[in-house]
Amino acid sequence: MKDTRQKWFKDAKYGLFIHWGLYSLLGGEHKGQKTEHIAEWIMNYLDIPAEEYRELAKSFRGENFSAEDIVRRAKEEWGMQYLVFTSKHHEGFAMWDSKCSDYNVVKASPYGKDVLKEFQLACRKYGMKFCLYYSQAQDWDDPDGYAYGKDNSHKNFRKYMDNKCIPQLKELLTEYGEISILWFDTPMDMKEEESRELIELVKSYQPACIISGRIGNGLGEYLSTGDNFIPRLTYEGDWEVPATLNDTWGFNKDDENWKEPDDILRLLLKIVSRGGNYLLNIGPDGTGKVPERSCEILSEVGKYVRENAEAIFGTKRVDLYPYDLEWAQLTRKDHKLYVHVLRPQMRIELLNVANRVKGAYLVRDGQKLVCRARKICEGDSMVEVDLPADLKRGRKYAVCIELEEEEPIFEPIRG
């Protein structure tokens, strides 16, 4: 079981992932050829030579980018609690003023400003946990960095580690204040001792910095699931689902396969119910502008999250309920069970709730509701909550049922 031993991560539940780099300029297409894969991998999948790909930096102006606006909206409007930014993706381009490689946003692009410093200051201003993604094994620009699906047998990976990976990690850990998570990715053929070396490096500078599960070799302090994959059942320990709003991470101008706000809310509540965190991605375009549809979806979901924050943040995983509720998701705290009603209901009926019920109220405004516990004719327990007339056709609100005991929450079906 993975354990970060950090309360903030266990309570956070909802974070913002940001993929922004040179790949954002291409938007999924290079010289008339479109990638059939995720857009930030375009260099790898279309076999763009490093020297040709580097030319993109000369066009990276970020004229519509605002770290402060993104962080403010994420915290105040979208309801997110932590931010993970791609400091260096597999393309090898550093989004800060790296001293060990001039291939970075300050020295090689007309944008000329340190993106990480901008995010660091904005996160401090708005009380957002500042976390960084770093591709530790893949680096398609460095001749000795790994590349997925390519021949890596001739590469001196140790040389890449010593000359780029480790020096850049030291920069991140010493020049940008508190880093709450270092989000590593795609360890490829890294040996266990190499993964441990990076963990020890991080902890030597920032002991409280959490190491993501993708450091490799079964190490890391929490489980990072597969992209957009949710554990089927409740899962013990600390874990996180990295996920997209459409089908890609980096900006793709042709990807209009957006999830609906209702889908995102349902996924968030399902993950929280099972004990995990939801790290949801945006991919600004080459100018730094966040796609409008991303903002619209996140704002609609954020309204629910902010109104029902008590029933989302700081909650615990819910034990396996004996029934599959298509109309609701359940979250909990000690002595409280939250019912997130996602479809219109005449009344709320919960079978096989084992605890005595003290009361029920509407989370978003504290309105007390009529609530009763009884036995049905088969002998199973049932909790009923009457909904006011104006809510019977409403949707997306959380009803809190306060329980007298913490355990057990549910009882088995008597059959």
Side-chain angles (χ1 to χ4, degrees):
M1 183 180 77
K2 297 289 187 179
D3 188 354
T4 62
R5 297 182 294 279
Q6 294 203 36
K7 187 175 186 298
W8 81 260
F9 184 83
K10 298 174 188 295
D11 291 349
K13 305 304 178 188
Y14 194 28
L16 179 66
F17 215 168
I18 305 173
H19 279 68
W20 193 43
L22 298 184
Y23 46 82
S24 306
L25 290 166
L26 296 177
E29 182 175 351
H30 177 65
K31 293 184 174 179
Q33 185 178 3
K34 296 181 179 181
T35 178
E36 297 179 356
H37 302 276
I38 45 181
E40 70 281 2
W41 280 61
I42 190 169
M43 179 183 178
N44 179 274
Y45 283 122
L46 297 190
D47 294 315
I48 305 173
E51 60 274 14
E52 181 180 341
Y53 193 86
R54 276 180 167 240
E55 292 296 308
L56 291 171
K58 297 176 181 177
S59 302
F60 195 79
R61 294 179 173 83
E63 58 268 32
N64 293 316
F65 174 72
S66 171
E68 177 161 346
D69 183 62
I70 291 174
V71 174
R72 178 189 59 78
R73 297 190 73 177
K75 184 70 173 183
E76 297 182 352
E77 184 179 334
W78 302 339
M80 290 152 161
Q81 304 299 303
Y82 62 109
L83 178 148
V84 180
F85 179 73
T86 48
S87 65
K88 187 205 76 168
H89 207 269
H90 311 321
E91 65 180 5
F93 186 69
M95 297 296 284
W96 77 97
D97 190 10
S98 178
K99 309 303 184 294
C100 72
S101 172
D102 288 347
Y103 188 45
N104 69 66
V105 69
V106 175
K107 295 185 177 72
S109 82
Y111 184 71
K113 291 177 286 186
D114 190 321
V115 175
L116 299 196
K117 181 61 66 175
E118 293 178 311
F119 272 120
Q120 179 204 4
L121 296 176
C123 285
R124 181 188 301 169
K125 179 176 178 179
Y126 292 99
M128 179 79 83
K129 288 290 186 180
F130 178 52
C131 315
L132 294 175
Y133 170 110
Y134 185 86
S135 176
Q136 79 275 25
Q138 289 202 84
D139 191 307
W140 304 328
D141 182 75
D142 191 292
D144 290 306
Y146 287 147
Y148 178 74
K150 312 298 180 185
D151 179 13
N152 295 304
S153 61
H154 64 286
K155 295 183 177 181
N156 184 347
F157 185 70
R158 185 71 241 179
K159 182 178 178 182
Y160 157 74
M161 287 265 291
D162 290 337
N163 291 346
K164 188 171 186 181
C165 176
I166 291 174
Q168 286 193 332
L169 285 173
K170 288 180 179 178
E171 291 175 359
L172 298 179
L173 291 163
T174 59
E175 298 177 14
Y176 295 92
E178 179 182 339
I179 309 298
S180 295
I181 299 173
L182 260 172
W183 214 100
F184 294 105
D185 197 19
T186 63
M188 297 280 290
D189 295 325
M190 289 183 68
K191 301 180 179 65
E192 182 174 344
E193 57 266 28
E194 292 170 335
S195 294
R196 290 192 182 279
E197 181 180 358
L198 296 188
I199 292 173
E200 291 170 3
L201 172 71
V202 172
K203 295 298 184 178
S204 69
Y205 286 100
Q206 296 205 32
C209 182
I210 296 172
I211 308 294
S212 79
R214 296 190 186 183
I215 186 65
N217 295 290
L219 305 174
E221 295 175 279
Y222 66 83
L223 170 70
S224 178
T225 71
D227 296 349
N228 292 296
F229 277 81
I230 300 173
R232 184 173 180 83
L233 303 174
T234 57
Y235 196 90
E236 291 188 28
D238 294 335
W239 54 278
E240 175 189 70
V241 177
T244 55
L245 284 167
N246 51 4
D247 289 334
T248 189
W249 302 85
F251 175 72
N252 187 328
K253 59 185 175 58
D254 297 318
D255 185 358
E256 295 294 334
N257 191 27
W258 300 101
K259 299 178 179 71
E260 293 298 321
D262 286 356
D263 297 329
I264 294 296
L265 179 60
R266 177 180 53 82
L267 292 169
L268 169 63
L269 295 173
K270 182 182 293 187
I271 291 165
V272 172
S273 176
R274 295 175 186 180
N277 288 6
Y278 194 25
L279 182 62
L280 192 55
N281 182 74
I282 58 172
D285 66 18
T287 73
K289 178 180 173 59
V290 180
E292 286 297 329
R293 188 59 184 146
S294 294
C295 296
E296 292 168 0
I297 296 168
L298 294 177
S299 294
E300 185 168 336
V301 174
K303 183 177 186 297
Y304 181 90
V305 170
R306 288 182 286 106
E307 288 181 347
N308 298 282
E310 175 192 326
I312 296 173
F313 303 116
T315 55
K316 300 179 178 182
R317 66 186 179 91
V318 178
D319 291 336
L320 188 62
Y321 183 59
Y323 291 99
D324 184 13
L325 300 178
E326 295 184 356
W327 52 271
Q329 290 291 334
L330 307 177
T331 59
R332 65 173 285 252
K333 290 180 178 176
D334 291 347
H335 311 291
K336 290 186 179 182
L337 180 68
Y338 300 100
V339 186
H340 299 262
V341 182
L342 304 178
R343 294 181 184 175
Q345 299 289 313
M346 294 303 294
R347 69 176 56 85
I348 293 173
E349 297 179 342
L350 287 177
L351 275 172
N352 299 88
V353 175
N355 306 68
R356 285 186 291 175
V357 177
K358 297 177 70 175
Y361 61 87
L362 203 60
V363 174
R364 67 185 180 196
D365 59 12
Q367 178 182 354
K368 192 166 181 61
L369 304 174
V370 175
C371 176
R372 55 191 164 271
R374 64 181 182 84
K375 293 283 187 179
I376 62 173
C377 54
E378 289 82 9
D380 292 314
S381 62
M382 174 182 279
V383 173
E384 290 182 335
V385 181
D386 291 342
L387 298 176
D390 63 323
L391 293 181
K392 289 182 179 179
R393 289 180 174 80
R395 59 194 304 198
K396 294 189 295 189
Y397 54 86
V399 172
C400 171
I401 299 175
E402 186 170 337
L403 304 179
E404 188 168 291
E405 301 169 307
E406 179 179 355
E407 298 290 351
I409 298 178
F410 307 124
E411 60 184 21
I413 301 171
R414 296 174 185 270

